[in-house]
Short mmCIF file of all heavy atoms in Angstrom, two decimals:
data_model
loop_
_atom_site.label_atom_id
_atom_site.label_comp_id
_atom_site.label_asym_id
_atom_site.label_seq_id
_atom_site.Cartn_x
_atom_site.Cartn_y
_atom_site.Cartn_z
N PHE F 7 82.24 108.65 94.75
CA PHE F 7 81.18 108.28 93.81
C PHE F 7 80.65 109.54 93.15
O PHE F 7 80.60 110.61 93.78
CB PHE F 7 80.05 107.55 94.54
CG PHE F 7 78.89 107.18 93.66
CD1 PHE F 7 79.00 106.16 92.74
CD2 PHE F 7 77.68 107.86 93.75
CE1 PHE F 7 77.92 105.82 91.92
CE2 PHE F 7 76.61 107.54 92.95
CZ PHE F 7 76.74 106.51 92.02
N GLU F 8 80.27 109.43 91.88
CA GLU F 8 79.68 110.55 91.16
C GLU F 8 78.43 110.09 90.43
O GLU F 8 78.32 108.93 90.01
CB GLU F 8 80.67 111.12 90.13
CG GLU F 8 81.87 111.82 90.72
CD GLU F 8 82.75 112.45 89.64
OE1 GLU F 8 82.34 112.42 88.45
OE2 GLU F 8 83.82 112.96 89.98
N VAL F 9 77.50 111.00 90.25
CA VAL F 9 76.32 110.74 89.44
C VAL F 9 75.89 112.06 88.81
O VAL F 9 76.02 113.13 89.41
CB VAL F 9 75.17 110.14 90.29
CG1 VAL F 9 74.73 111.11 91.38
CG2 VAL F 9 73.98 109.74 89.42
N GLU F 10 75.40 111.98 87.58
CA GLU F 10 74.94 113.16 86.87
C GLU F 10 73.44 113.06 86.62
O GLU F 10 72.89 111.96 86.50
CB GLU F 10 75.68 113.32 85.54
CG GLU F 10 77.16 113.61 85.70
CD GLU F 10 77.86 113.87 84.36
OE1 GLU F 10 77.15 113.92 83.33
OE2 GLU F 10 79.09 114.02 84.36
N SER F 11 72.78 114.21 86.55
CA SER F 11 71.37 114.23 86.22
C SER F 11 71.05 115.53 85.50
O SER F 11 71.82 116.49 85.56
CB SER F 11 70.50 114.10 87.48
OG SER F 11 70.60 115.27 88.28
N HIS F 12 69.90 115.55 84.82
CA HIS F 12 69.46 116.76 84.14
C HIS F 12 67.95 116.85 84.18
O HIS F 12 67.25 115.87 84.48
CB HIS F 12 69.98 116.80 82.69
CG HIS F 12 69.64 115.59 81.87
ND1 HIS F 12 68.45 115.45 81.22
CD2 HIS F 12 70.35 114.46 81.63
CE1 HIS F 12 68.42 114.29 80.59
NE2 HIS F 12 69.57 113.65 80.81
N GLY F 13 67.45 118.03 83.88
CA GLY F 13 66.04 118.29 84.05
C GLY F 13 65.11 117.53 83.12
O GLY F 13 63.92 117.42 83.40
N ASP F 14 65.64 116.99 82.01
CA ASP F 14 64.78 116.28 81.06
C ASP F 14 64.39 114.89 81.55
O ASP F 14 63.41 114.32 81.06
CB ASP F 14 65.48 116.16 79.71
CG ASP F 14 65.68 117.52 79.05
OD1 ASP F 14 64.89 118.44 79.36
OD2 ASP F 14 66.61 117.66 78.25
N GLU F 15 65.15 114.32 82.46
CA GLU F 15 64.85 112.99 82.99
C GLU F 15 64.85 113.05 84.52
O GLU F 15 65.92 113.11 85.13
CB GLU F 15 65.87 111.96 82.49
CG GLU F 15 65.81 111.73 80.99
CD GLU F 15 66.75 110.63 80.54
OE1 GLU F 15 67.31 109.94 81.42
OE2 GLU F 15 66.94 110.46 79.33
N PRO F 16 63.68 113.05 85.16
CA PRO F 16 63.63 113.18 86.61
C PRO F 16 64.42 112.07 87.31
O PRO F 16 64.21 110.89 87.06
CB PRO F 16 62.13 113.07 86.92
CG PRO F 16 61.45 113.46 85.65
CD PRO F 16 62.34 112.99 84.54
N LEU F 17 65.33 112.49 88.16
CA LEU F 17 66.16 111.55 88.91
C LEU F 17 66.37 112.12 90.31
O LEU F 17 66.89 113.22 90.46
CB LEU F 17 67.52 111.35 88.22
CG LEU F 17 68.49 110.41 88.92
CD1 LEU F 17 68.03 108.95 88.76
CD2 LEU F 17 69.91 110.58 88.36
N VAL F 18 65.94 111.38 91.32
CA VAL F 18 66.15 111.81 92.70
C VAL F 18 67.49 111.29 93.18
O VAL F 18 67.79 110.11 93.05
CB VAL F 18 65.02 111.30 93.62
CG1 VAL F 18 65.34 111.59 95.09
CG2 VAL F 18 63.69 111.94 93.24
N VAL F 19 68.29 112.18 93.72
CA VAL F 19 69.59 111.82 94.28
C VAL F 19 69.53 112.05 95.79
O VAL F 19 69.21 113.15 96.24
CB VAL F 19 70.73 112.64 93.64
CG1 VAL F 19 72.07 112.28 94.29
CG2 VAL F 19 70.78 112.38 92.14
N GLU F 20 69.84 111.01 96.56
CA GLU F 20 69.82 111.08 98.01
C GLU F 20 71.18 111.51 98.55
O GLU F 20 72.22 111.12 98.01
CB GLU F 20 69.49 109.71 98.61
CG GLU F 20 68.19 109.10 98.11
CD GLU F 20 67.08 109.22 99.12
OE1 GLU F 20 67.21 110.03 100.06
OE2 GLU F 20 66.09 108.50 98.95
N THR F 21 71.20 112.29 99.61
CA THR F 21 72.43 112.48 100.36
C THR F 21 72.41 111.51 101.53
O THR F 21 71.37 111.32 102.17
CB THR F 21 72.58 113.92 100.86
OG1 THR F 21 71.52 114.23 101.77
CG2 THR F 21 72.54 114.90 99.69
N ILE F 22 73.57 110.92 101.81
CA ILE F 22 73.66 109.82 102.77
C ILE F 22 74.46 110.26 103.99
O ILE F 22 75.54 110.84 103.84
CB ILE F 22 74.35 108.60 102.12
CG1 ILE F 22 73.77 108.33 100.72
CG2 ILE F 22 74.24 107.38 103.02
CD1 ILE F 22 72.30 108.01 100.70
N PRO F 23 73.94 110.03 105.20
CA PRO F 23 74.72 110.38 106.38
C PRO F 23 76.11 109.74 106.35
O PRO F 23 76.26 108.57 105.99
CB PRO F 23 73.88 109.82 107.54
CG PRO F 23 72.48 109.83 107.01
CD PRO F 23 72.61 109.49 105.57
N GLY F 24 77.11 110.52 106.71
CA GLY F 24 78.48 110.01 106.73
C GLY F 24 79.21 110.13 105.41
O GLY F 24 80.37 109.73 105.31
N TRP F 25 78.56 110.71 104.42
CA TRP F 25 79.19 110.93 103.11
C TRP F 25 79.23 112.44 102.85
O TRP F 25 78.18 113.09 102.84
CB TRP F 25 78.40 110.28 101.99
CG TRP F 25 78.50 108.78 101.93
CD1 TRP F 25 77.93 107.90 102.77
CD2 TRP F 25 79.20 108.02 100.94
NE1 TRP F 25 78.21 106.61 102.40
CE2 TRP F 25 78.99 106.65 101.27
CE3 TRP F 25 79.96 108.35 99.81
CZ2 TRP F 25 79.53 105.61 100.52
CZ3 TRP F 25 80.50 107.31 99.06
CH2 TRP F 25 80.30 105.97 99.41
N ALA F 26 80.41 113.00 102.63
CA ALA F 26 80.51 114.38 102.17
C ALA F 26 79.97 114.45 100.75
O ALA F 26 80.11 113.51 99.97
CB ALA F 26 81.95 114.86 102.22
N HIS F 27 79.33 115.58 100.42
CA HIS F 27 78.72 115.67 99.10
C HIS F 27 78.69 117.12 98.62
O HIS F 27 78.72 118.05 99.42
CB HIS F 27 77.29 115.11 99.12
CG HIS F 27 76.44 115.69 100.20
ND1 HIS F 27 76.38 115.15 101.46
CD2 HIS F 27 75.63 116.78 100.23
CE1 HIS F 27 75.56 115.88 102.21
NE2 HIS F 27 75.10 116.88 101.48
N ASP F 28 78.66 117.27 97.31
CA ASP F 28 78.43 118.58 96.71
C ASP F 28 77.72 118.39 95.39
O ASP F 28 77.53 117.26 94.91
CB ASP F 28 79.73 119.38 96.56
CG ASP F 28 80.73 118.76 95.59
OD1 ASP F 28 80.33 117.94 94.73
OD2 ASP F 28 81.93 119.11 95.67
N ILE F 29 77.28 119.49 94.79
CA ILE F 29 76.58 119.47 93.51
C ILE F 29 77.12 120.62 92.67
O ILE F 29 77.27 121.74 93.17
CB ILE F 29 75.05 119.56 93.70
CG1 ILE F 29 74.34 119.63 92.34
CG2 ILE F 29 74.66 120.76 94.57
CD1 ILE F 29 72.82 119.55 92.44
N THR F 30 77.43 120.34 91.41
CA THR F 30 78.02 121.32 90.50
C THR F 30 77.15 121.48 89.27
O THR F 30 76.66 120.49 88.71
CB THR F 30 79.43 120.90 90.08
OG1 THR F 30 80.25 120.75 91.24
CG2 THR F 30 80.06 121.92 89.15
N ASN F 31 76.96 122.71 88.85
CA ASN F 31 76.27 122.99 87.60
C ASN F 31 77.26 122.76 86.47
O ASN F 31 78.20 123.52 86.28
CB ASN F 31 75.77 124.44 87.58
CG ASN F 31 75.01 124.77 86.31
OD1 ASN F 31 74.96 123.99 85.36
ND2 ASN F 31 74.41 125.97 86.28
N ILE F 32 77.06 121.69 85.71
CA ILE F 32 77.97 121.35 84.61
C ILE F 32 77.35 121.71 83.26
O ILE F 32 77.89 121.33 82.22
CB ILE F 32 78.35 119.86 84.64
CG1 ILE F 32 77.09 118.98 84.55
CG2 ILE F 32 79.14 119.55 85.90
CD1 ILE F 32 77.40 117.49 84.41
N GLY F 33 76.26 122.46 83.29
CA GLY F 33 75.62 122.88 82.05
C GLY F 33 75.97 124.31 81.70
O GLY F 33 76.77 124.97 82.37
N ASP F 34 75.36 124.79 80.63
CA ASP F 34 75.61 126.15 80.17
C ASP F 34 74.56 127.14 80.67
O ASP F 34 74.72 128.36 80.50
CB ASP F 34 75.63 126.19 78.63
CG ASP F 34 76.75 125.34 78.05
OD1 ASP F 34 77.83 125.28 78.68
OD2 ASP F 34 76.53 124.73 76.98
N ASP F 35 73.49 126.62 81.27
CA ASP F 35 72.40 127.46 81.75
C ASP F 35 72.28 127.36 83.26
O ASP F 35 72.95 126.57 83.92
CB ASP F 35 71.07 127.04 81.10
CG ASP F 35 71.10 127.12 79.59
OD1 ASP F 35 71.61 128.14 79.09
OD2 ASP F 35 70.64 126.17 78.93
N GLU F 36 71.41 128.17 83.80
CA GLU F 36 71.17 128.14 85.24
C GLU F 36 70.65 126.78 85.66
O GLU F 36 69.82 126.17 84.99
CB GLU F 36 70.16 129.23 85.62
CG GLU F 36 69.87 129.32 87.10
CD GLU F 36 68.85 130.38 87.45
OE1 GLU F 36 67.75 130.35 86.86
OE2 GLU F 36 69.15 131.24 88.30
N LEU F 37 71.12 126.30 86.80
CA LEU F 37 70.67 125.04 87.38
C LEU F 37 69.60 125.35 88.42
O LEU F 37 69.79 126.21 89.30
CB LEU F 37 71.84 124.31 88.04
CG LEU F 37 71.53 123.00 88.77
CD1 LEU F 37 71.11 121.93 87.77
CD2 LEU F 37 72.76 122.55 89.57
N VAL F 38 68.46 124.66 88.34
CA VAL F 38 67.38 124.81 89.31
C VAL F 38 67.11 123.45 89.93
O VAL F 38 66.83 122.48 89.21
CB VAL F 38 66.09 125.36 88.66
CG1 VAL F 38 64.99 125.52 89.71
CG2 VAL F 38 66.36 126.68 87.96
N VAL F 39 67.21 123.37 91.24
CA VAL F 39 67.11 122.09 91.94
C VAL F 39 66.08 122.18 93.07
O VAL F 39 66.13 123.10 93.89
CB VAL F 39 68.47 121.66 92.53
CG1 VAL F 39 68.35 120.31 93.23
CG2 VAL F 39 69.52 121.60 91.43
N MET F 40 65.16 121.22 93.08
CA MET F 40 64.23 121.08 94.19
C MET F 40 64.89 120.24 95.27
O MET F 40 65.59 119.25 94.97
CB MET F 40 62.94 120.40 93.71
CG MET F 40 61.90 120.20 94.78
SD MET F 40 60.41 119.41 94.10
CE MET F 40 59.47 119.17 95.61
N LEU F 41 64.65 120.60 96.52
CA LEU F 41 65.33 119.95 97.63
C LEU F 41 64.34 119.65 98.76
O LEU F 41 63.57 120.52 99.16
CB LEU F 41 66.45 120.85 98.16
CG LEU F 41 67.10 120.49 99.50
CD1 LEU F 41 67.82 119.16 99.39
CD2 LEU F 41 68.05 121.59 99.93
N TRP F 42 64.38 118.39 99.23
CA TRP F 42 63.65 118.03 100.44
C TRP F 42 64.66 117.56 101.48
O TRP F 42 65.56 116.77 101.16
CB TRP F 42 62.65 116.92 100.18
CG TRP F 42 62.03 116.35 101.45
CD1 TRP F 42 60.99 116.86 102.15
CD2 TRP F 42 62.45 115.17 102.16
NE1 TRP F 42 60.71 116.09 103.25
CE2 TRP F 42 61.60 115.04 103.29
CE3 TRP F 42 63.45 114.23 101.95
CZ2 TRP F 42 61.73 113.99 104.19
CZ3 TRP F 42 63.58 113.18 102.86
CH2 TRP F 42 62.73 113.07 103.96
#
């Protein structure tokens, strides 16, 4: 599964136990991500 998000529209993405996951900067600028 894939999902995209950007800073102009707040979107919380959950990581789920039992699912491998990663996050890639697909933009041209630095990516800044808040994490809980």
Side-chain angles (χ1 to χ4, degrees):
F7 178 72
E8 292 184 5
V9 62
E10 294 184 6
S11 70
H12 54 85
D14 294 334
E15 294 184 9
L17 179 73
V18 172
V19 178
E20 304 257 17
T21 62
I22 314 299
W25 288 72
H27 52 271
D28 65 21
I29 177 173
T30 301
N31 182 352
I32 59 173
D34 298 325
D35 301 315
E36 182 181 54
L37 177 68
V38 181
V39 181
M40 180 179 175
L41 168 65
W42 171 82

